[in-house]
Amino acid sequence: RKDVNPKDPPKLVVKADGTRFEGAATCLRYFARAGSKKSQLFLDGHPVEGTQIDQWIDWSVVLKPGQGLPELLKQINAFVSTRTYLVGGVLTLADVAIWGTLASMPLW
């Protein structure tokens, strides 16, 4: 999008039950937990895969245009070349977070 400055993106804010949450990763986690697909999006019951999901969400926040981005994109591309989803065999919050970050970049 040309109307969004990647150096100063709009802040995502959610207000729920009198509480304010700020930041894309935090709001994404809130929506997933509040929805009916929580166990699938977080792979509840699988601590290793759940932590991998958290790791991908954390990565989604730091993926920004800059010097290191081309190398990170190569690593992500190599990783997804052998699988359909980032964690496990189903769509999870990791996929949503990384896709959202990449789709919002002015590079595409």
Side-chain angles (χ1 to χ4, degrees):
R1 291 185 34 184
K2 294 179 180 167
D3 61 328
V4 176
N5 179 353
K7 293 182 181 179
D8 187 27
K11 293 194 188 309
L12 183 59
V13 175
V14 172
K15 294 180 183 176
D17 296 329
T19 303
R20 176 186 163 108
F21 302 108
E22 188 173 314
T26 300
C27 293
L28 189 62
R29 285 181 174 112
Y30 167 76
F31 286 127
R33 286 187 176 109
S36 62
K37 299 286 185 185
K38 177 183 179 270
S39 62
Q40 178 182 341
L41 290 171
F42 282 106
L43 293 179
D44 282 352
H46 303 276
V48 171
E49 289 178 336
T51 303
Q52 288 174 324
I53 291 168
D54 285 334
Q55 187 175 28
W56 279 109
I57 294 169
D58 292 342
W59 270 56
S60 75
V61 174
V62 298
L63 280 174
K64 295 186 183 348
Q67 291 180 335
L69 184 63
E71 184 57 37
L72 284 173
L73 292 176
K74 284 181 190 175
Q75 290 177 14
I76 292 171
N77 194 45
F79 186 80
V80 298
S81 69
T82 61
R83 54 190 50 86
T84 303
Y85 301 102
L86 294 173
V87 180
V90 297
L91 179 74
T92 67
L93 206 56
D95 302 293
V96 174
I98 294 296
W99 174 85
T101 297
L102 293 176
S104 70
M105 287 185 181
L107 301 170
W108 321 120

XYZ file of all heavy atoms in Angstrom:
838
model
N 0.840 -1.181 0.000
C 0.000 0.000 0.000
C 0.871 1.225 0.000
O 1.796 1.335 0.787
C -0.889 -0.014 1.223
C -1.931 -1.078 1.175
C -2.875 -1.019 2.328
N -3.120 0.343 2.744
C -3.857 0.649 3.787
N -4.398 -0.281 4.508
N -4.053 1.893 4.123
N 0.548 2.155 -0.823
C 1.342 3.371 -0.935
C 0.968 4.410 0.109
O 1.720 5.338 0.345
C 1.195 3.943 -2.337
C 1.806 3.024 -3.371
C 1.639 3.561 -4.747
C 2.278 2.550 -5.693
N 1.986 2.725 -7.036
N -0.204 4.258 0.734
C -0.645 5.246 1.716
C -0.132 4.953 3.126
O -0.384 5.717 4.045
C -2.168 5.335 1.733
C -2.824 4.018 2.114
O -2.254 2.964 1.783
O -3.893 4.051 2.731
N 0.614 3.864 3.305
C 1.158 3.513 4.619
C 2.663 3.701 4.599
O 3.356 3.173 3.737
C 0.816 2.053 4.991
C 1.473 1.668 6.299
C -0.690 1.871 5.075
N 3.161 4.456 5.541
C 4.599 4.673 5.667
C 5.187 3.521 6.464
O 4.891 3.368 7.649
C 4.862 6.001 6.377
C 6.335 6.287 6.561
O 7.189 5.457 6.274
N 6.634 7.485 7.039
N 6.037 2.663 5.854
C 6.582 1.509 6.579
C 7.454 1.902 7.769
O 7.650 1.121 8.684
C 7.385 0.753 5.524
C 7.616 1.722 4.427
C 6.519 2.739 4.482
N 7.960 3.127 7.764
C 8.775 3.579 8.896
C 7.921 4.063 10.058
O 8.399 4.185 11.170
C 9.724 4.684 8.445
C 10.771 4.177 7.471
C 11.728 5.262 7.072
C 12.722 4.690 6.075
N 13.680 5.665 5.622
N 6.649 4.323 9.785
C 5.732 4.774 10.832
C 4.343 4.187 10.580
O 3.399 4.904 10.266
C 5.669 6.305 10.858
C 4.871 6.821 12.044
O 4.809 6.121 13.083
O 4.292 7.912 11.929
N 4.230 2.835 10.705
C 2.935 2.203 10.411
C 1.899 2.564 11.470
O 2.241 2.914 12.599
C 3.259 0.712 10.460
C 4.437 0.613 11.366
C 5.217 1.885 11.162
N 0.618 2.487 11.107
C -0.420 2.748 12.106
C -0.367 1.699 13.206
O -0.020 0.555 12.958
C -1.719 2.647 11.305
C -1.367 1.917 10.066
C 0.086 2.107 9.813
N -0.693 2.110 14.421
C -0.687 1.175 15.547
C -2.027 0.452 15.615
O -3.076 1.053 15.446
C -0.428 1.921 16.850
C 0.954 2.506 16.933
C 1.253 2.907 18.351
C 2.502 3.655 18.526
N 3.697 3.380 18.123
N -1.944 -0.835 15.849
C -3.149 -1.637 16.011
C -3.508 -1.631 17.492
O -2.674 -1.964 18.341
C -2.903 -3.061 15.518
C -4.083 -4.009 15.565
C -5.242 -3.471 14.732
C -3.670 -5.367 15.067
N -4.730 -1.236 17.795
C -5.190 -1.155 19.180
C -6.526 -1.882 19.288
O -7.390 -1.733 18.426
C -5.367 0.314 19.626
C -5.959 0.391 21.023
C -4.038 1.053 19.563
N -6.673 -2.673 20.338
C -7.924 -3.374 20.618
C -8.336 -3.027 22.041
O -7.502 -3.035 22.949
C -7.744 -4.912 20.497
C -8.988 -5.630 20.978
C -7.404 -5.305 19.080
N -9.615 -2.730 22.207
C -10.165 -2.503 23.538
C -11.180 -3.606 23.790
O -12.118 -3.789 23.018
C -10.821 -1.135 23.626
C -9.827 0.003 23.494
C -10.505 1.338 23.575
C -9.479 2.439 23.362
N -10.094 3.758 23.349
N -10.970 -4.349 24.880
C -11.863 -5.455 25.215
C -12.064 -5.518 26.719
O -11.096 -5.509 27.482
C -11.265 -6.772 24.717
N -13.299 -5.566 27.132
C -13.634 -5.658 28.565
C -12.913 -4.599 29.385
O -12.401 -4.877 30.473
C -13.312 -7.056 29.102
C -14.151 -8.134 28.448
O -15.299 -7.834 28.071
O -13.654 -9.268 28.312
N -12.828 -3.392 28.862
C -12.204 -2.294 29.582
C -10.680 -2.313 29.575
O -10.053 -1.526 30.254
N -10.098 -3.215 28.815
C -8.642 -3.327 28.748
C -8.179 -2.965 27.344
O -8.806 -3.344 26.355
C -8.191 -4.765 29.081
O -8.700 -5.102 30.371
C -6.681 -4.879 29.096
N -7.064 -2.258 27.263
C -6.510 -1.837 25.977
C -5.276 -2.683 25.652
O -4.381 -2.828 26.478
C -6.125 -0.364 26.060
C -5.457 0.182 24.828
C -4.998 1.619 25.095
N -4.027 2.036 24.129
C -4.264 2.918 23.171
N -5.446 3.485 23.086
N -3.321 3.261 22.325
N -5.265 -3.238 24.448
C -4.117 -3.989 23.957
C -3.560 -3.247 22.751
O -4.323 -2.745 21.929
C -4.521 -5.406 23.535
C -5.149 -6.206 24.632
C -6.496 -6.493 24.621
C -4.378 -6.670 25.686
C -7.082 -7.231 25.626
C -4.952 -7.422 26.703
C -6.302 -7.698 26.669
N -2.248 -3.204 22.642
C -1.628 -2.480 21.544
C -0.535 -3.322 20.901
O 0.179 -4.044 21.579
C -1.029 -1.173 22.073
C -0.520 -0.261 20.994
C -0.094 1.089 21.529
O -0.831 1.682 22.332
O 0.992 1.539 21.146
N -0.417 -3.211 19.610
C 0.619 -3.925 18.875
C 0.032 -5.078 18.093
O -0.894 -5.759 18.550
N 0.558 -5.291 16.908
C 0.004 -6.305 16.014
C 0.044 -7.700 16.627
O -0.954 -8.430 16.594
C 0.751 -6.286 14.686
N 1.174 -8.110 17.177
C 1.297 -9.465 17.720
C 0.356 -9.669 18.910
O -0.308 -10.701 19.015
C 2.740 -9.754 18.114
N 0.280 -8.690 19.790
C -0.587 -8.792 20.965
C -2.053 -8.865 20.549
O -2.814 -9.708 21.050
C -0.362 -7.596 21.901
O 1.006 -7.594 22.307
C -1.245 -7.663 23.129
N -2.457 -7.999 19.625
C -3.850 -7.990 19.170
C -4.190 -9.281 18.428
O -5.280 -9.832 18.590
C -4.109 -6.765 18.297
S -4.020 -5.218 19.235
N -3.248 -9.780 17.643
C -3.459 -11.037 16.930
C -3.683 -12.184 17.915
O -4.601 -12.990 17.759
C -2.251 -11.325 16.045
C -2.355 -12.473 15.068
C -3.467 -12.217 14.056
C -1.028 -12.655 14.342
N -2.854 -12.237 18.947
C -3.022 -13.286 19.965
C -4.374 -13.144 20.671
O -5.048 -14.131 20.955
C -1.877 -13.230 20.974
C -0.575 -13.763 20.444
C 0.522 -13.701 21.517
N 1.727 -14.325 21.074
C 2.875 -13.672 20.821
N 2.946 -12.369 20.994
N 3.933 -14.330 20.421
N -4.767 -11.904 20.964
C -6.057 -11.690 21.625
C -7.208 -12.222 20.761
O -8.074 -12.964 21.234
C -6.297 -10.207 21.942
C -7.729 -9.963 22.319
C -8.204 -10.330 23.579
C -8.636 -9.459 21.399
C -9.538 -10.176 23.913
C -9.979 -9.303 21.725
C -10.422 -9.662 22.986
O -11.742 -9.522 23.306
N -7.236 -11.836 19.480
C -8.313 -12.278 18.598
C -8.365 -13.799 18.490
O -9.438 -14.398 18.470
C -8.184 -11.663 17.207
C -8.549 -10.208 17.158
C -7.676 -9.282 16.625
C -9.766 -9.763 17.645
C -8.009 -7.942 16.572
C -10.115 -8.427 17.593
C -9.229 -7.504 17.058
N -7.208 -14.424 18.418
C -7.177 -15.888 18.325
C -7.696 -16.529 19.604
O -8.451 -17.506 19.551
C -5.762 -16.365 18.030
N -7.304 -15.987 20.745
C -7.759 -16.565 22.019
C -9.244 -16.327 22.248
O -9.922 -17.148 22.855
C -6.948 -15.986 23.172
C -5.556 -16.537 23.242
C -4.817 -16.072 24.496
N -3.524 -16.701 24.541
C -2.373 -16.073 24.331
N -2.356 -14.777 24.083
N -1.230 -16.721 24.375
N -9.758 -15.209 21.762
C -11.160 -14.864 21.984
C -12.085 -15.602 21.017
O -13.279 -15.702 21.270
C -11.350 -13.353 21.824
N -11.530 -16.135 19.943
C -12.352 -16.800 18.930
C -12.580 -18.266 19.218
O -12.071 -18.837 20.179
N -13.330 -18.889 18.336
C -13.713 -20.295 18.536
C -12.656 -21.286 18.048
O -12.799 -22.480 18.268
C -15.029 -20.567 17.806
O -14.859 -20.368 16.408
N -11.606 -20.823 17.398
C -10.573 -21.714 16.853
C -9.278 -21.676 17.662
O -8.217 -22.037 17.167
C -10.258 -21.331 15.399
C -11.416 -21.443 14.460
C -11.704 -22.878 14.149
C -12.798 -22.978 13.106
N -13.184 -24.332 12.865
N -9.355 -21.279 18.931
C -8.152 -21.127 19.753
C -7.281 -22.377 19.763
O -6.081 -22.307 19.564
C -8.527 -20.761 21.183
C -7.328 -20.659 22.109
C -7.771 -20.365 23.537
C -6.605 -20.283 24.461
N -6.231 -21.537 25.062
N -7.876 -23.534 19.982
C -7.067 -24.750 20.105
C -6.323 -25.055 18.812
O -5.191 -25.549 18.841
C -7.927 -25.941 20.514
O -8.892 -26.211 19.534
N -6.916 -24.739 17.661
C -6.233 -24.983 16.393
C -5.179 -23.910 16.128
O -4.060 -24.219 15.721
C -7.225 -25.001 15.236
C -6.544 -25.215 13.895
C -7.518 -25.195 12.734
O -8.717 -25.360 12.904
N -6.987 -24.976 11.559
N -5.521 -22.653 16.336
C -4.588 -21.564 16.021
C -3.338 -21.579 16.894
O -2.274 -21.141 16.478
C -5.299 -20.212 16.128
C -6.341 -19.941 15.048
C -7.125 -18.686 15.361
C -5.683 -19.841 13.682
N -3.466 -22.073 18.131
C -2.323 -22.147 19.040
C -1.795 -23.564 19.222
O -0.817 -23.777 19.912
C -2.691 -21.589 20.416
C -2.707 -20.096 20.480
C -3.901 -19.410 20.524
C -1.539 -19.367 20.491
C -3.933 -18.027 20.586
C -1.552 -17.993 20.550
C -2.750 -17.316 20.596
N -2.460 -24.564 18.622
C -2.125 -25.970 18.815
C -2.030 -26.308 20.301
O -1.046 -26.845 20.790
C -0.837 -26.342 18.070
C -0.919 -26.303 16.552
C 0.422 -26.677 15.923
C -2.013 -27.206 16.003
N -3.085 -25.948 21.017
C -3.159 -26.260 22.448
C -2.897 -27.740 22.664
O -3.346 -28.586 21.895
C -4.546 -25.922 23.002
C -4.727 -24.442 23.247
O -3.752 -23.696 23.132
O -5.864 -24.038 23.546
N -2.194 -28.072 23.682
C -1.884 -29.464 23.988
C -0.569 -29.926 23.389
O -0.162 -31.062 23.599
N 0.088 -29.071 22.635
C 1.375 -29.397 22.023
C 2.376 -28.286 22.363
O 2.528 -27.333 21.598
C 1.242 -29.535 20.499
C 0.245 -30.557 20.079
N 0.556 -31.885 19.991
C -1.071 -30.441 19.746
C -0.524 -32.550 19.610
N -1.519 -31.699 19.459
N 3.052 -28.381 23.513
C 3.900 -27.280 23.965
C 5.014 -26.896 22.992
O 5.308 -25.722 22.823
C 4.485 -27.767 25.289
C 3.806 -29.030 25.623
C 3.018 -29.482 24.451
N 5.627 -27.866 22.335
C 6.718 -27.544 21.412
C 6.177 -26.776 20.208
O 6.702 -25.717 19.831
C 7.473 -28.813 20.964
C 8.453 -28.503 19.839
C 8.216 -29.426 22.142
N 5.107 -27.290 19.608
C 4.538 -26.603 18.454
C 3.926 -25.263 18.854
O 4.013 -24.289 18.109
C 3.499 -27.485 17.767
C 4.142 -28.661 17.051
C 3.134 -29.589 16.403
O 1.970 -29.629 16.845
O 3.532 -30.270 15.450
N 3.328 -25.194 20.028
C 2.788 -23.922 20.516
C 3.874 -22.872 20.667
O 3.680 -21.700 20.333
N 5.025 -23.290 21.141
C 6.149 -22.362 21.286
C 6.715 -21.969 19.932
O 7.129 -20.820 19.728
C 7.238 -22.988 22.183
O 6.634 -23.328 23.438
C 8.376 -22.020 22.417
N 6.702 -22.893 18.971
C 7.122 -22.538 17.610
C 6.194 -21.472 17.029
O 6.649 -20.543 16.354
C 7.117 -23.773 16.709
C 8.232 -24.746 17.002
C 8.106 -26.019 16.181
O 7.009 -26.503 15.923
N 9.250 -26.553 15.772
N 4.911 -21.593 17.303
C 3.951 -20.587 16.851
C 4.294 -19.237 17.456
O 4.344 -18.220 16.756
C 2.512 -21.007 17.206
C 2.115 -22.215 16.369
C 1.532 -19.851 17.004
C 0.837 -22.894 16.816
N 4.555 -19.212 18.765
C 4.949 -17.961 19.428
C 6.202 -17.367 18.786
O 6.301 -16.156 18.601
C 5.202 -18.187 20.917
C 3.920 -18.345 21.706
O 2.877 -17.815 21.275
O 3.964 -19.003 22.762
N 7.155 -18.216 18.455
C 8.398 -17.750 17.844
C 8.125 -17.093 16.480
O 8.661 -16.036 16.178
C 9.374 -18.911 17.697
C 10.744 -18.490 17.225
C 11.710 -19.659 17.224
O 11.323 -20.818 17.074
N 12.980 -19.362 17.398
N 7.288 -17.714 15.661
C 6.948 -17.127 14.365
C 6.205 -15.798 14.534
O 6.435 -14.853 13.786
C 6.109 -18.097 13.537
C 6.908 -19.144 12.847
C 6.954 -20.475 13.154
C 7.789 -18.977 11.720
N 7.807 -21.130 12.291
C 8.332 -20.232 11.400
C 8.170 -17.876 10.958
C 9.228 -20.416 10.346
C 9.063 -18.062 9.909
C 9.577 -19.318 9.622
N 5.326 -15.728 15.525
C 4.613 -14.464 15.776
C 5.619 -13.383 16.165
O 5.545 -12.251 15.687
C 3.534 -14.640 16.863
C 2.428 -15.572 16.365
C 2.947 -13.290 17.268
C 1.459 -16.017 17.441
N 6.568 -13.720 17.023
C 7.610 -12.758 17.406
C 8.424 -12.319 16.186
O 8.764 -11.148 16.039
C 8.529 -13.344 18.474
C 7.827 -13.553 19.808
O 6.752 -12.957 20.030
O 8.351 -14.322 20.633
N 8.728 -13.253 15.293
C 9.468 -12.918 14.076
C 8.654 -11.978 13.196
O 9.211 -11.105 12.532
C 9.790 -14.196 13.295
C 11.087 -14.817 13.652
C 11.501 -15.212 14.886
C 12.152 -15.120 12.752
N 12.742 -15.761 14.807
C 13.168 -15.714 13.510
C 12.321 -14.967 11.383
C 14.358 -16.141 12.941
C 13.506 -15.399 10.819
C 14.515 -15.974 11.595
N 7.346 -12.165 13.165
C 6.502 -11.337 12.301
C 6.598 -9.860 12.669
O 6.424 -8.998 11.817
C 5.045 -11.800 12.352
O 4.411 -11.418 13.549
N 6.887 -9.585 13.926
C 6.985 -8.203 14.385
C 8.291 -7.550 13.914
O 8.335 -6.355 13.657
C 6.875 -8.139 15.928
C 7.104 -6.746 16.449
C 5.526 -8.667 16.374
N 9.344 -8.332 13.781
C 10.651 -7.754 13.417
C 10.933 -7.812 11.918
O 11.927 -7.254 11.463
C 11.814 -8.417 14.197
C 11.662 -8.185 15.679
C 11.924 -9.886 13.887
N 10.090 -8.465 11.144
C 10.274 -8.488 9.690
C 9.915 -7.122 9.125
O 8.752 -6.756 9.043
C 9.370 -9.546 9.050
C 9.833 -10.971 9.095
C 8.745 -11.895 8.545
C 11.105 -11.165 8.304
N 10.916 -6.367 8.769
C 10.706 -5.028 8.232
C 11.693 -4.800 7.096
O 12.782 -5.362 7.089
C 10.940 -3.983 9.312
C 9.957 -4.024 10.455
C 10.189 -2.868 11.382
C 9.368 -2.764 12.592
N 8.262 -3.462 12.904
N 11.300 -3.990 6.125
C 12.251 -3.678 5.058
C 13.545 -3.114 5.634
O 13.528 -2.314 6.548
C 11.518 -2.625 4.234
C 10.069 -2.880 4.501
C 10.021 -3.347 5.935
N 14.645 -3.586 5.121
C 15.951 -3.135 5.588
C 17.029 -4.081 5.110
O 16.788 -4.999 4.329
N 18.222 -3.879 5.630
C 19.388 -4.629 5.163
C 19.249 -6.131 5.342
O 19.633 -6.902 4.487
C 20.640 -4.149 5.882
C 21.053 -2.760 5.487
C 22.295 -2.316 6.225
O 22.588 -2.805 7.312
N 23.014 -1.380 5.643
N 18.717 -6.588 6.456
C 18.660 -8.019 6.724
C 17.457 -8.721 6.131
O 17.373 -9.951 6.151
N 16.508 -7.978 5.580
C 15.275 -8.583 5.092
C 15.486 -9.579 3.952
O 14.903 -10.670 4.001
C 14.266 -7.513 4.675
C 12.913 -8.065 4.234
C 12.221 -8.786 5.384
C 12.045 -6.955 3.691
N 16.283 -9.276 2.947
C 16.445 -10.259 1.867
C 16.917 -11.635 2.363
O 16.410 -12.664 1.916
C 17.478 -9.624 0.934
C 17.312 -8.156 1.164
C 16.994 -8.032 2.628
N 17.831 -11.648 3.307
C 18.317 -12.924 3.842
C 17.227 -13.638 4.636
O 17.062 -14.855 4.535
C 19.563 -12.710 4.704
C 20.181 -13.993 5.208
C 20.567 -14.964 4.087
O 21.016 -14.526 3.013
O 20.397 -16.182 4.297
N 16.470 -12.894 5.438
C 15.363 -13.503 6.192
C 14.316 -14.081 5.242
O 13.794 -15.170 5.476
C 14.705 -12.467 7.108
C 15.460 -12.110 8.371
C 14.775 -10.958 9.098
C 15.576 -13.309 9.291
N 14.023 -13.368 4.170
C 13.053 -13.864 3.197
C 13.548 -15.138 2.522
O 12.764 -16.060 2.268
C 12.729 -12.792 2.160
C 11.968 -11.580 2.683
C 11.785 -10.551 1.578
C 10.637 -11.967 3.295
N 14.840 -15.225 2.255
C 15.417 -16.450 1.682
C 15.257 -17.611 2.654
O 14.923 -18.729 2.249
C 16.900 -16.252 1.360
C 17.160 -15.443 0.124
C 18.654 -15.316 -0.114
C 18.957 -14.317 -1.201
N 20.404 -14.100 -1.374
N 15.503 -17.357 3.943
C 15.369 -18.413 4.945
C 13.915 -18.876 5.073
O 13.634 -20.072 5.157
C 15.890 -17.930 6.296
C 17.394 -17.750 6.324
C 17.876 -17.190 7.652
O 17.162 -17.174 8.643
N 19.110 -16.710 7.666
N 12.988 -17.928 5.081
C 11.567 -18.288 5.167
C 11.157 -19.069 3.923
O 10.468 -20.083 4.010
C 10.693 -17.030 5.350
C 10.944 -16.418 6.733
C 9.211 -17.367 5.173
C 10.298 -15.070 6.933
N 11.592 -18.617 2.752
C 11.263 -19.294 1.502
C 11.781 -20.735 1.504
O 11.068 -21.665 1.106
C 11.821 -18.514 0.313
C 11.236 -18.988 -0.991
O 10.042 -19.195 -1.103
N 12.090 -19.160 -1.983
N 13.014 -20.922 1.953
C 13.584 -22.274 2.022
C 12.780 -23.140 2.997
O 12.516 -24.311 2.730
C 15.049 -22.214 2.441
N 12.383 -22.557 4.114
C 11.629 -23.296 5.128
C 10.272 -23.747 4.583
O 9.885 -24.897 4.742
C 11.453 -22.425 6.374
C 10.812 -23.131 7.525
C 11.542 -23.981 8.340
C 9.469 -22.957 7.803
C 10.944 -24.646 9.402
C 8.865 -23.606 8.856
C 9.605 -24.454 9.655
N 9.554 -22.843 3.920
C 8.212 -23.188 3.448
C 8.224 -23.987 2.140
O 7.181 -24.496 1.731
C 7.301 -21.942 3.301
C 7.101 -21.273 4.631
C 7.826 -20.986 2.258
N 9.380 -24.122 1.518
C 9.440 -24.876 0.259
C 9.169 -26.368 0.468
O 8.838 -27.072 -0.483
C 10.795 -24.681 -0.423
O 11.814 -25.322 0.312
N 9.280 -26.837 1.709
C 9.073 -28.262 1.987
C 7.811 -28.531 2.804
O 7.611 -29.642 3.276
C 10.286 -28.836 2.748
O 10.427 -28.137 3.990
C 11.559 -28.708 1.921
N 6.976 -27.525 2.989
C 5.760 -27.713 3.794
C 4.687 -26.725 3.357
O 4.983 -25.717 2.731
C 6.071 -27.555 5.288
C 6.748 -26.253 5.643
C 7.282 -26.152 7.065
N 8.105 -27.208 7.552
C 9.419 -27.316 7.401
N 10.067 -26.405 6.724
N 10.086 -28.308 7.919
N 3.478 -27.020 3.745
C 2.357 -26.148 3.418
C 2.147 -25.088 4.484
O 1.800 -23.950 4.173
C 1.068 -26.989 3.267
O 1.304 -27.982 2.265
C -0.117 -26.138 2.867
N 2.361 -25.462 5.743
C 2.146 -24.557 6.872
C 3.437 -24.416 7.670
O 4.284 -25.302 7.645
C 1.020 -25.084 7.775
C -0.280 -25.238 7.037
C -0.727 -26.478 6.611
C -1.060 -24.123 6.752
C -1.919 -26.616 5.919
C -2.261 -24.250 6.061
C -2.679 -25.495 5.642
O -3.848 -25.622 4.956
N 3.562 -23.320 8.408
C 4.789 -23.064 9.170
C 4.972 -24.026 10.331
O 6.089 -24.439 10.626
C 4.803 -21.621 9.686
C 4.885 -20.542 8.607
C 4.713 -19.159 9.221
C 6.213 -20.639 7.870
N 3.878 -24.386 11.012
C 3.959 -25.270 12.175
C 2.879 -26.336 12.051
O 1.704 -26.012 11.859
C 3.759 -24.494 13.498
C 3.844 -25.435 14.692
C 4.780 -23.370 13.637
N 3.273 -27.588 12.177
C 2.297 -28.663 12.106
C 1.688 -28.769 10.717
O 2.166 -28.178 9.757
N 0.613 -29.475 10.605
C -0.014 -29.694 9.316
C -1.286 -28.909 9.105
O -2.100 -29.264 8.255
N -1.487 -27.864 9.892
C -2.708 -27.067 9.793
C -2.370 -25.575 9.845
O -1.295 -25.179 10.291
C -3.704 -27.397 10.936
C -4.177 -28.833 10.856
C -3.087 -27.117 12.298
N -3.327 -24.772 9.411
C -3.187 -23.321 9.518
C -3.156 -22.934 10.988
O -4.019 -23.350 11.763
C -4.373 -22.646 8.825
C -4.381 -21.119 8.880
C -3.331 -20.559 7.915
C -5.759 -20.601 8.515
N -2.153 -22.157 11.379
C -2.054 -21.674 12.761
C -1.852 -20.167 12.752
O -1.708 -19.540 11.695
C -0.873 -22.325 13.511
O 0.353 -21.862 12.927
C -0.951 -23.843 13.489
N -1.787 -19.611 13.929
C -1.549 -18.176 14.069
C -0.186 -17.776 13.499
O -0.005 -16.647 13.062
C -1.656 -17.781 15.543
C -2.035 -16.343 15.831
C -3.336 -15.958 15.157
C -2.132 -16.109 17.320
N 0.748 -18.697 13.463
C 2.060 -18.418 12.862
C 1.894 -18.045 11.390
O 2.480 -17.061 10.916
C 2.972 -19.635 13.003
N 1.095 -18.814 10.667
C 0.860 -18.540 9.249
C 0.179 -17.185 9.050
O 0.553 -16.414 8.167
C -0.011 -19.645 8.638
C 0.614 -21.014 8.792
O 1.662 -21.258 8.168
O 0.063 -21.829 9.548
N -0.817 -16.908 9.879
C -1.552 -15.647 9.778
C -0.620 -14.468 10.048
O -0.634 -13.463 9.320
C -2.747 -15.641 10.759
C -3.438 -14.291 10.771
C -3.718 -16.756 10.421
N 0.218 -14.586 11.073
C 1.116 -13.486 11.442
C 2.147 -13.206 10.358
O 2.357 -12.048 9.966
C 1.818 -13.808 12.767
N 2.793 -14.243 9.861
C 3.824 -14.046 8.829
C 3.187 -13.558 7.530
O 3.673 -12.625 6.891
C 4.640 -15.335 8.604
C 5.460 -15.670 9.855
C 5.544 -15.206 7.386
C 6.539 -14.653 10.220
N 2.072 -14.160 7.128
C 1.400 -13.717 5.915
C 1.000 -12.251 6.029
O 1.209 -11.457 5.114
C 0.164 -14.574 5.621
C -0.602 -14.012 4.457
C -0.362 -14.246 3.132
C -1.700 -13.103 4.523
N -1.256 -13.520 2.370
C -2.085 -12.804 3.200
C -2.389 -12.497 5.567
C -3.130 -11.942 2.903
C -3.427 -11.644 5.262
C -3.789 -11.378 3.949
N 0.405 -11.869 7.159
C -0.028 -10.487 7.356
C 1.122 -9.504 7.257
O 0.999 -8.437 6.646
N 2.245 -9.867 7.843
C 3.411 -8.983 7.792
C 3.928 -8.853 6.366
O 4.176 -7.757 5.874
C 4.533 -9.519 8.708
O 4.052 -9.501 10.059
C 5.775 -8.662 8.612
N 4.088 -9.982 5.679
C 4.607 -9.940 4.309
C 3.631 -9.224 3.370
O 4.051 -8.442 2.512
C 4.887 -11.355 3.822
C 6.020 -12.088 4.544
C 6.127 -13.519 4.035
C 7.345 -11.357 4.408
N 2.342 -9.482 3.532
C 1.347 -8.852 2.655
C 1.280 -7.344 2.837
O 0.904 -6.629 1.920
C -0.016 -9.487 2.905
N 1.653 -6.873 4.020
C 1.570 -5.429 4.289
C 2.819 -4.670 3.849
O 2.840 -3.450 3.888
C 1.338 -5.191 5.775
O 2.491 -5.524 6.535
N 3.840 -5.378 3.414
C 5.080 -4.707 3.000
C 4.916 -4.049 1.633
O 4.322 -4.636 0.735
C 6.234 -5.700 2.956
C 6.713 -6.130 4.295
S 8.156 -7.173 4.126
C 8.466 -7.556 5.825
N 5.462 -2.858 1.490
C 5.354 -2.167 0.200
C 6.187 -2.816 -0.908
O 6.130 -2.381 -2.041
C 5.870 -0.759 0.517
C 6.730 -0.908 1.715
C 6.168 -2.072 2.491
N 6.931 -3.868 -0.585
C 7.753 -4.544 -1.573
C 6.934 -5.288 -2.610
O 7.384 -5.565 -3.706
C 8.683 -5.564 -0.881
C 9.635 -5.025 0.162
C 10.289 -6.165 0.923
C 10.682 -4.160 -0.494
N 5.726 -5.665 -2.244
C 4.924 -6.508 -3.137
C 4.028 -5.647 -3.953
O 3.044 -5.430 -4.089
C 4.155 -7.567 -2.357
C 4.924 -8.152 -1.237
C 4.604 -8.129 0.077
C 6.181 -8.839 -1.284
N 5.548 -8.749 0.831
C 6.549 -9.206 0.026
C 7.046 -9.174 -2.304
C 7.703 -9.883 0.333
C 8.215 -9.847 -1.998
C 8.532 -10.204 -0.685
